[in-house]
Amino acid sequence: MSDSGQSPGQGSRMLNVPSQSFPAPSSQQRVASGGRSKVPLKQGRSLMDWIRLSKSGKDLTGLKGRLIDVTEEELKKHNKKEDCWICIRGFVYNVSSYMEFHPGGEDELMRAAGSDGTDLFDQVHRWVNYESMLKECLVGRMAVKPAIPKDYREEKRVLNGLLPKSQMTDISTKEGPSSPSYDWFQTDSLVTLVIYTKQKDIHLDSIIIDHQNDSFRAETIIKDYSYLIHIGLSHEVQEDFSVRVVENVGKIEIVLKKTENISWKCLGRPLEKHNSLIPKKDTGLYYRKCQLISKEDVTHDTKLFCLMLPPSTHLQVPIGQHVYLKLTITGDFVPVSNPEGNFKISKLQEVEDLFLLAAGTGFTPMVKILKYALINIPSLRKVKLMFFNKTEDDIIWRSQLEKLAFEDKRFDVEYVLSAPTSEWKGKQGHISPALLSEFLNKSSEKSKVLLCICGPTPFTEQGIKLLHDLNFSKDEIHSFTA
């Protein structure tokens, strides 16, 4: 499985590779860098001074925190020292405040004023982490693709992976997010693929990567859409790779290790649906074979399976989502699907009372939600779980739930059995207005509430109806689909 943490070599954070290996000693980047003379900076204009300014909260964009789509005409207007916008790889920055802090001097920045400075940037310091350096200067994204560099060679692809309109999936901006783009570059030993999503809510669990033989597949989930990079790599790479997400600009970096230290002329050939952006509901499920490591009994009719992803796969199941197993589990390998589900972690933000209604194995999605909420939501006052089962023997992870309730006073669990023995002293029956009315007591009248419900279809449908009857709104209820 891929390494989702930081790669070695923090000296070159943009590429996440050791600084001594990039740029290569003979590369044009290093030659250009070596020949560039630094300009003496005024007192109070050091790198640390710039960091302090960028963290001060001062509006460095002039847009008061808004992000906009920038046309070429609008970009050209901002070409003065006191009003200087520059485009780098499709992102536009207001560098007016940075002028006096730039080691190369104001004149060097002004060469790209009001235009696409990607080529100039690559000539001098392509490896610099400009996203971090200029993140508080980000104006927005170019509304159209930047100019094509003169030395462009690769077929069917333009700068940053943007295909001509005739080759792109026809999705209007009204129907979904604007189309992402990609770019790639290399060192002697590494190939770095960069995906520019144009979104700020991208996390490691937003991207799924599968590499089999020479087929490389990277799917990025952007809201309710899927952006796919699908390439037959031109040369072999090793099984392990690293993935990094720069969340504030929505950039994904995938670093592959070359099997041979040779220069690649191109990344590879496009495969089915390469560089496409389509609704997630239309993508179908993609499976990879995972090795069955262990299985153990949880209850008399429930087992816990531990599966290991292939070494050339990166997949993290987002909170509140699930995967499918394609075949009956009889052999050593089990095909496992991509994550499915529409739960958004943003639903938990600022929640004060969280109520979970689960029946049988419908408890499964509640596990990660419960853990995440108790650890990461500071506004949380109360979490209550009402767990419906047939018998006591059917209750999954009962001891763990009761231990959690003992350790964290915000959490409480109630069990309801539909076919209990005569010894059962707890609640019994099916989901009903009487049970819910007693269970759903808020910590205060104006508490922000979220109710999550999962179980067999009749249970879920009946539960949602009862919750509406109890005056809970649609926005306060989330049901999980099987």
Side-chain angles (χ1 to χ4, degrees):
M1 187 164 68
S2 68
D3 173 18
S4 60
Q6 294 292 325
S7 296
Q10 299 300 315
S12 181
R13 299 187 64 87
M14 175 184 169
L15 299 181
N16 227 11
V17 297
S19 58
Q20 65 269 24
S21 66
F22 189 89
S26 60
S27 74
Q28 289 301 310
Q29 292 98 319
R30 189 175 291 276
V31 171
S33 175
R36 184 172 66 116
S37 59
K38 292 187 176 182
V39 174
L41 298 175
K42 298 178 182 177
Q43 188 174 2
R45 297 296 185 270
S46 68
L47 174 60
M48 291 308 300
D49 292 315
W50 171 251
I51 292 174
R52 279 191 286 269
L53 175 61
S54 64
K55 290 183 177 180
S56 67
K58 183 179 179 180
D59 177 20
L60 302 182
T61 66
L63 298 176
K64 298 181 179 179
R66 291 183 300 118
L67 290 177
I68 63 173
D69 288 336
V70 183
T71 63
E72 289 186 2
E73 291 74 19
E74 180 67 23
L75 179 63
K76 289 176 182 177
K77 295 177 184 177
H78 303 270
N79 60 359
K80 303 177 180 65
K81 286 184 179 181
E82 64 276 6
D83 180 23
C84 181
W85 290 11
I86 292 176
C87 172
I88 303 176
R89 301 196 196 291
F91 290 100
V92 179
Y93 300 89
N94 183 344
V95 298
S96 308
S97 300
Y98 183 62
M99 283 283 179
E100 294 185 348
F101 296 84
H102 185 234
E106 296 178 359
D107 291 342
E108 184 176 291
L109 279 180
M110 289 303 298
R111 290 173 63 196
S115 66
D116 181 359
T118 304
D119 284 349
L120 287 172
F121 179 83
D122 286 348
Q123 291 170 17
V124 180
H125 35 39
R126 183 173 187 166
W127 54 94
V128 171
N129 188 356
Y130 64 91
E131 296 98 333
S132 177
M133 183 78 72
L134 300 176
K135 66 181 180 181
E136 301 303 329
C137 301
L138 182 64
V139 170
R141 178 82 197 194
M142 286 297 295
V144 295
K145 66 181 185 299
I148 301 174
K150 295 179 181 179
D151 61 348
Y152 174 75
R153 293 290 181 271
E154 189 174 349
E155 294 181 359
K156 295 186 180 180
R157 189 170 70 84
V158 297
L159 183 64
N160 296 340
L162 287 173
L163 286 172
K165 289 184 178 180
S166 61
Q167 298 181 37
M168 290 182 66
T169 304
D170 184 21
I171 295 181
S172 70
T173 54
K174 293 182 180 179
E175 294 177 344
S178 55
S179 182
S181 59
Y182 76 94
D183 198 358
W184 74 281
F185 36 93
Q186 61 182 306
T187 69
D188 290 341
S189 59
L190 304 172
V191 169
T192 299
L193 176 67
V194 185
I195 299 172
Y196 304 96
T197 69
K198 309 178 188 178
Q199 305 293 324
K200 282 197 170 186
D201 55 350
I202 299 297
H203 308 283
L204 277 173
D205 59 14
S206 301
I207 184 164
I208 305 154
I209 299 170
D210 291 278
H211 173 227
Q212 299 177 5
N213 300 319
D214 69 337
S215 171
F216 182 84
R217 191 179 191 279
E219 181 179 2
T220 305
I221 306 304
I222 304 172
K223 297 180 179 177
D224 294 323
Y225 285 77
S226 166
Y227 176 65
L228 182 65
I229 297 293
H230 194 193
I231 294 172
L233 296 176
S234 60
H235 295 79
E236 291 185 2
V237 295
Q238 299 177 34
E239 285 187 333
D240 60 316
F241 54 85
S242 66
V243 186
R244 175 175 175 255
V245 174
V246 184
E247 295 182 8
N248 63 305
V249 293
K251 185 183 78 167
I252 299 167
E253 295 176 351
I254 306 164
V255 182
L256 308 173
K257 299 177 182 178
K258 295 180 180 178
T259 301
E260 298 180 89
N261 292 349
I262 58 176
S263 177
W264 292 18
K265 294 183 179 179
C266 67
L267 186 60
R269 68 188 189 284
L271 299 178
E272 184 182 9
K273 296 182 180 178
H274 171 60
N275 204 26
S276 64
L277 178 70
I278 59 179
K280 194 171 184 296
K281 61 183 176 62
D282 298 332
T283 60
L285 291 175
Y286 181 85
Y287 288 81
R288 75 278 302 143
K289 286 188 176 181
C290 297
Q291 187 175 359
L292 181 61
I293 301 301
S294 64
K295 57 182 177 180
E296 60 181 271
D297 293 331
V298 178
T299 67
H300 67 97
D301 63 353
T302 307
K303 296 183 184 294
L304 177 66
F305 292 89
C306 180
L307 302 169
M308 183 172 70
L309 290 170
S312 53
T313 292
H314 167 86
L315 184 152
Q316 295 180 359
V317 182
I319 291 169
Q321 296 192 20
H322 59 276
V323 296
Y324 292 101
L325 307 184
K326 193 172 185 179
L327 301 173
T328 304
I329 302 170
T330 55
D332 293 334
F333 289 88
V334 181
V336 176
S337 77
N338 283 0
E340 285 286 295
N342 60 355
F343 184 84
K344 298 292 189 295
I345 204 170
S346 58
K347 288 179 176 286
L348 291 170
Q349 298 307 315
E350 299 182 2
V351 163
E352 294 166 286
D353 293 338
L354 176 62
F355 297 102
L356 309 174
L357 299 168
T361 54
F363 169 67
T364 306
M366 308 301 181
V367 177
K368 290 183 75 172
I369 289 176
L370 180 61
K371 179 180 178 182
Y372 180 88
L374 289 173
I375 295 175
N376 298 288
I377 306 300
S379 59
L380 199 66
R381 297 175 186 167
K382 179 191 295 185
V383 184
K384 294 185 71 175
L385 168 67
M386 181 169 275
F387 198 180
F388 293 80
N389 288 278
K390 289 183 179 179
T391 69
E392 280 190 82
D393 291 338
D394 293 318
I395 300 174
I396 300 171
W397 288 341
R398 182 176 182 179
S399 61
Q400 291 94 326
L401 287 170
E402 291 173 356
K403 180 183 178 185
L404 180 60
F406 176 78
E407 293 175 345
D408 196 320
K409 300 306 179 185
R410 294 173 297 170
F411 175 62
D412 186 36
V413 57
E414 296 180 10
Y415 307 108
V416 182
L417 302 182
S418 59
T421 62
S422 57
E423 288 81 17
W424 176 250
K425 304 300 182 184
K427 291 181 170 63
Q428 53 184 293
H430 299 275
I431 192 167
S432 67
L435 282 173
L436 292 183
S437 296
E438 182 183 348
F439 174 69
L440 299 171
N441 58 314
K442 297 191 288 186
S443 57
S444 70
E445 185 178 344
K446 295 184 179 180
S447 290
K448 183 176 179 182
V449 175
L450 178 65
L451 302 105
C452 297
I453 183 168
C454 186
T457 301
F459 168 85
T460 302
E461 291 179 348
Q462 176 68 4
I464 292 173
K465 180 180 182 302
L466 294 175
L467 291 172
H468 286 314
D469 291 344
L470 292 169
N471 296 319
F472 289 99
S473 69
K474 182 180 178 180
D475 292 337
E476 293 176 321
I477 303 168
H478 181 85
S479 62
F480 293 92
T481 55

